[in-house]
Amino acid sequence: MLTMLTLTLTFIHNRIVKKKWKKILCRLNILIYLLYVNIEINNIKNMEKKFEVIDTSIEFNGHQLYRIKALKDFADVKFGDFGGWVEVPQNLSQEGDCWIYDNAKVIDVAQVKDNAQVRDNAIVKSNALVCGDAVVEEDALVGDFAIISNHTVLRQKVKAVGQTTLFTDATIMGTGTITGSVIINCNK
């Protein structure tokens, strides 16, 4: 559409004799070109991103959270899919196949990276990190300085808090709390 408008203005520009109108049309052509370049730059920037934070928000425990929306297909997420909730865009990495699903929430400065998934009603908060191929789902909670990595799956009402580091291929479920300076590494 912009190209057609530019061509039309160029045609008119060549037909008009008065210098005053030529200058006006020339400036208008330049403005249209700059607008076109700006649109293209924004399209390129959006192509690099995998999600955006949209205006839909909720209040949760004193935090204003915003819904995320996929800007491209990746893993099992399709363009336009709505995800879970973040406090700031930095809660979810733009790289890898990580995603926050359903009604899950990531707040404070907690991060989800790599191919990790946070699902259902799970909460990741404080300075926690969920990374690798880890999955936090159902009503699980990851908080404080906990790190959930590798192929760890936290399920049901499990809480991983404190200095907990879970770098395992295990599924941990139930209603227990893992706290303190715990490091669980079951890899060979």
Side-chain angles (χ1 to χ4, degrees):
M1 185 172 109
L2 287 174
T3 305
M4 190 60 147
L5 183 59
T6 304
L7 290 173
T8 304
L9 288 173
T10 304
F11 177 76
I12 294 170
H13 179 272
N14 292 336
R15 296 279 185 211
I16 295 178
V17 183
K18 293 184 179 179
K19 288 182 182 180
K20 180 180 178 182
W21 284 104
K22 278 189 174 185
K23 285 181 183 179
I24 292 171
L25 287 174
C26 185
R27 288 181 182 151
L28 191 54
N29 256 344
I30 291 170
L31 287 174
I32 290 170
Y33 176 74
L34 291 174
L35 176 64
Y36 175 74
V37 169
N38 192 31
I39 290 170
E40 288 302 310
I41 289 171
N42 284 335
N43 286 342
I44 290 168
K45 285 181 182 178
N46 284 339
M47 289 172 70
E48 294 170 2
K49 292 181 180 182
K50 73 175 178 187
F51 75 93
E52 67 180 348
V53 176
I54 61 172
D55 291 337
T56 305
S57 67
I58 59 169
E59 176 92 15
F60 177 76
N61 290 347
H63 298 270
Q64 192 70 29
L65 305 181
Y66 300 90
R67 174 90 56 201
I68 57 173
K69 181 179 177 183
L71 294 176
K72 66 180 185 178
D73 294 350
F74 59 95
D76 62 345
V77 178
K78 301 296 178 215
F79 173 84
D81 283 356
F82 292 102
W85 303 90
V86 296
E87 186 166 6
V88 293
Q90 293 78 10
N91 291 137
L92 179 64
S93 175
Q94 291 282 359
E95 298 175 10
D97 288 337
C98 56
W99 191 243
I100 303 166
Y101 295 82
D102 312 311
N103 200 35
K105 299 165 185 70
V106 181
I107 58 178
D108 300 316
V109 292
Q111 291 185 318
V112 179
K113 300 171 112 179
D114 305 324
N115 299 318
Q117 300 175 5
V118 181
R119 297 179 164 274
D120 307 314
N121 293 307
I123 298 170
V124 180
K125 65 180 193 168
S126 303
N127 291 293
L129 172 63
V130 180
C131 58
D133 293 311
V135 178
V136 179
E137 60 187 3
E138 297 177 13
D139 294 310
L141 169 73
V142 180
D144 299 330
F145 292 92
I147 299 172
I148 311 303
S149 187
N150 206 7
H151 296 281
T152 304
V153 177
L154 290 187
R155 183 176 279 164
Q156 295 174 343
K157 295 185 184 285
V158 171
K159 294 179 184 174
V161 293
Q163 301 288 330
T164 301
T165 300
L166 301 175
F167 188 80
T168 178
D169 289 333
T171 296
I172 303 168
M173 51 198 236
T175 57
T177 300
I178 304 167
T179 188
S181 296
V182 178
I183 297 175
I184 300 175
N185 182 353
C186 297
N187 296 320
K188 297 177 182 175

